[in-house]
Amino acid sequence: MTLVNDSTTVPAEPTAARPPTVGEQLAARFPNAILGASTFRGDTTLTVAPTGLTDVARALRDELGFDHLSNLSSTDWSRYRGYAGKERFSTIYHFTSTRTGERIGLKVFAPGGDSPAVPSLAALWAGANWPEREVYDLMGIKFDGHPDLRRILLPNNWPNHPLRKDIPRGGETVPFSMIWEDEEFQSFGKQIVEAKSVQPVPPKQADANKHMILNMGPQHPSTHGVLRVVAELDGETVVAAYPDIGYLHSGFEKQGETIRYKDFLPYTDRMDYVSAMSNNLGYSLAVEKLMGVEIPPRAQVIRVICAELQRLASHLVWLGTHIMDAAGVSHALLMYTFREREQLSDIFELISGARLTISYIRPGGVWKDVPPSFVERVQDVLKAFPARIDEYERMITENPVWLGRARGVGKLTAEQCLSLGVTGPLLRASGVPFDYRKARPYSGYENYDFKVPVMTEGDTYARYLVRLEEMRQSLRIIDQALKNLPDGPVWTADRKMALPPRQELDTSMEALIHHFKLMTEGFVPPMGEVYHSVENPRGELGFYLVSDGTAVPYRLHVRAPSFHNLQATDTMARGSLIADLVLVIGTIDIVLGDVDR
């Protein structure tokens, strides 16, 4: 009712019925499975009973259109305030609709105390296989119904699950010094130390009696790092390919849970050392979302320029190395692509002082404003690169050797991509026009006019064409950003993260104390959890953060695109020749620091 005066009222205008949210639809459909719901920073998370997880997940996929399992992780709540007496472990799932960009989270508290178990989703999403193995390996949660539940990053004889809160960082024994009595010195000056051979054990799915089992890597130049692929062969035909990872495992997540939010940023550079700026941006956005702060317009535009320059640099490394894998030095495009990449690295060095591990984009903004020559140097890129990309096309696109090696090799259908959790150029080359810059815009990407390149063939050649066009679209975005680069600050004004102005320190004790606490303790987000993802050159890069109200993340998980995309190796390689396995690995565009973390 609307009040007109003391004695007269008129009926209020009828309001349209609000359509039920996804959470409300699921709660109505599965009243016994949905135990609760929470919303934080715009993210909705439903707490689901373990017995109802499979049915709820199936309904999300088949009835509500949440076809992409973005993230699968876990948390040990044993030292989190307010969780005493509840289940110690939970798994967390983030589902995204590739059609609308909408996202929802499911949280499942795993029964079983210190031996927890939840149902596996591998039968619904093949891409749940590796993330569930990772959770089992690092957190010790078992997944009932998993087709091959074993460790994935650590050796089979590892004594514990290192992401549990009762396992200290650096808990393993590491010798820091050696003495002459050590075995390594017994043959000193005579011959090399005798290698102790360990009988390799093939994957249980492999049939070593019927087929040949061949190791490719981890010291193979075409595996692009310490990746081992166990190939099961019938003659020269690949029957199955089993990637074996973990040789570079760095324990970044465990490290991230022992240092302040702001101190973790340099580790993001080292996860994907070919796309450092993209990783800086993804982590910074996740922290800013957790803090609830806004970034000034100038910093946002600079971030977009840097992210797209980094996309160019990353694709250049991929293009040069991939063509060399396929056609050898006779088609050494690598020299040309690195010529252009050096021009981009010069810009990174100009603004940050570093060329590879940059740490320029930081939670709160960017390290400092770009110098006056930045605009001119970026304009040089905009002038030179279109002709350079055309040059690559003249060399490669119709090259008969490249066509023969790439067409029809490593095919993936759209359905296979969505099931496997494949994202980025691999997904778009199979006909799914999903790009986080469009589906869930961040850093102002909604203000830029650009296209999402899409192909339908889903083979190595289609992925080459998609990445080539992405480079052109990145130039288009950079051009728009440069023309609309506003003046202003490059760091947030929110006092939760920003230092007080220098002049206040002489007159305000509160400002002085705030400055001291920010510098010594770091910023402190409220209790809560967020998941935020960006469009990395390789696909979806996501960060899952849980805050316990201190300056150190309680839980930090990285959804690395290389890790998830590498799962598709077996699907892509089956039925092809062993020589094509090199093309399959190259077309995924993995970075092993991103895979192993």
Side-chain angles (χ1 to χ4, degrees), residues 48 55 73 97 101 216 292 294 321 365 367 423 442 453 530 543 570-571:
V48 181
D55 291 336
S73 185
S97 168
M216 180 177 174
E294 292 292 329
T321 55
W367 173 48
T423 55
Y442 52 90
V530 298
F543 288 88
D570 182 44
T571 303

Side-chain angles (χ1 to χ4, degrees), residues 5-329:
N5 55 44
D6 290 344
S7 60
T8 308
T9 58
V10 296
E13 291 291 330
T15 57
R18 177 182 62 83
T21 65
V22 172
E24 290 168 345
Q25 294 179 60
L26 290 173
R29 173 80 184 278
F30 303 101
N32 297 324
I34 306 300
L35 306 179
S38 63
T39 301
F40 181 75
R41 303 296 191 217
D43 290 349
T44 298
T45 303
L46 305 179
T47 302
V48 181
T51 54
L53 172 63
T54 304
D55 291 336
V56 172
R58 183 182 291 108
L60 274 172
R61 185 192 67 180
D62 297 343
E63 300 174 23
L64 299 174
F66 288 79
D67 50 356
H68 173 46
L69 176 56
S70 294
N71 179 54
L72 194 167
S73 185
S74 60
T75 302
D76 175 0
W77 300 97
S78 59
R79 298 185 181 179
Y80 193 85
R81 285 185 293 158
Y83 272 83
K86 298 184 180 180
E87 297 292 357
R88 175 179 176 180
F89 298 97
S90 75
T91 50
I92 182 75
Y93 310 81
H94 295 98
F95 300 91
T96 305
S97 168
T98 58
R99 183 177 56 85
T100 66
E102 191 177 0
R103 175 178 290 154
I104 192 167
L106 301 183
K107 183 186 293 184
V108 178
F109 284 93
D114 291 340
S115 301
V118 296
S120 171
L121 293 186
L124 294 177
W125 278 274
N129 187 315
W130 278 23
E132 288 181 350
R133 286 179 59 191
E134 181 186 20
V135 169
Y136 167 70
D137 188 0
L138 303 182
M139 196 70 79
I141 300 176
K142 295 182 179 180
F143 291 86
D144 296 332
H146 190 283
D148 185 20
L149 192 61
R150 54 192 169 91
R151 289 188 182 269
I152 189 170
L153 292 172
L154 298 175
N156 291 328
N157 60 351
W158 196 263
N160 54 49
H161 303 286
L163 284 186
R164 291 190 173 193
K165 291 298 182 182
D166 53 354
I167 304 298
R169 182 186 64 176
E172 65 277 7
T173 302
V174 179
F176 289 100
S177 61
M178 300 179 66
I179 58 176
W180 285 107
E181 285 72 25
D182 288 341
E183 179 185 352
E184 284 81 352
F185 290 108
Q186 290 181 5
S187 57
F188 184 71
K190 302 176 183 178
Q191 66 179 51
I192 62 173
V193 178
E194 180 184 358
K196 296 180 179 179
S197 178
V198 178
Q199 184 66 28
V201 178
K204 70 177 186 179
Q205 304 95 322
D207 188 347
N209 296 318
K210 185 177 180 181
H211 302 128
M212 180 172 68
I213 308 298
L214 179 71
N215 274 319
M216 180 177 174
Q219 289 87 21
H220 192 292
S222 291
T223 58
H224 297 258
V226 284
L227 168 68
R228 172 185 177 227
V229 179
V230 181
E232 184 178 355
L233 304 175
D234 183 3
E236 291 191 32
T237 301
V238 177
V239 176
Y242 310 98
D244 183 21
I245 62 176
Y247 293 91
L248 198 64
H249 186 46
S250 307
F252 284 146
E253 294 184 11
K254 185 71 171 182
Q255 176 73 8
E257 294 171 12
T258 61
I259 58 177
R260 295 174 296 181
Y261 287 92
K262 69 185 188 69
D263 297 330
F264 183 72
L265 184 78
Y267 291 91
T268 65
D269 291 313
R270 288 150 180 82
M271 272 186 281
D272 186 346
Y273 32 80
V274 185
S275 301
M277 287 279 201
S278 298
N279 280 34
N280 293 166
L281 178 58
Y283 176 68
S284 297
L285 287 169
V287 174
E288 290 156 6
K289 182 176 182 179
L290 188 62
M291 290 289 295
V293 302
E294 292 292 329
I295 305 304
R298 181 173 177 84
Q300 293 214 32
V301 175
I302 291 174
R303 284 178 167 190
V304 168
I305 294 173
C306 291
E308 295 308 316
L309 289 173
Q310 187 71 83
R311 194 179 313 276
L312 284 168
S314 177
H315 282 357
L316 286 170
V317 173
W318 167 81
L319 180 61
T321 55
H322 192 41
I323 297 301
M324 179 170 283
D325 286 343
V329 294

